[in-house]
Amino acid sequence: GERAVAERQERREAYTAWAAAADAAGKLASLRQEGERAVAERLARREAFAARATEVSDLAWEAMRARLARYKEDWGNADAPLGPDVDGDLGRWCKVQRQLRDAGRLATARVDALD
């Protein structure tokens, strides 16, 4: 209740005093710059990770598309079974791709590659 409010107010006042002293000493600007650099570095790492993840995802997708092409050559259609047999994971992958396409969430390049 009141005690917590008073403690928050004390912390706020202490921070305000610290920030004023740091600003007067010219340190606040350098701290801001350091923080901005750290944020920029963190964002760059995230973007690099996302790019690697996308690349891995693209490779996995292409591998499944190639399996589907082989299946179509062997069986004359692209209706891979969903059961627990060897091509079951291919059938499940096809089902997901169809669902994504029907929902408009499959990239145009992938739709074209599957057609």
Side-chain angles (χ1 to χ4, degrees), residues 71-82:
Y71 182 91
K72 188 174 179 181
E73 281 180 26
D74 293 345
W75 295 95
N77 63 56
D79 298 326
L82 293 171

Side-chain angles (χ1 to χ4, degrees), residues 28-45:
L28 200 53
S30 68
L31 288 173
R32 282 190 188 117
Q33 288 173 346
E34 287 177 28
E36 289 170 1
R37 272 194 303 273
V39 168
E41 289 171 4
R42 194 173 324 128
L43 288 174
R45 284 194 305 272

Side-chain angles (χ1 to χ4, degrees), residues 1-12:
E2 289 180 27
R3 184 176 178 181
V5 170
E7 288 174 356
R8 277 195 301 269
Q9 182 63 31
E10 286 176 26
R11 284 194 303 271
R12 206 173 286 129

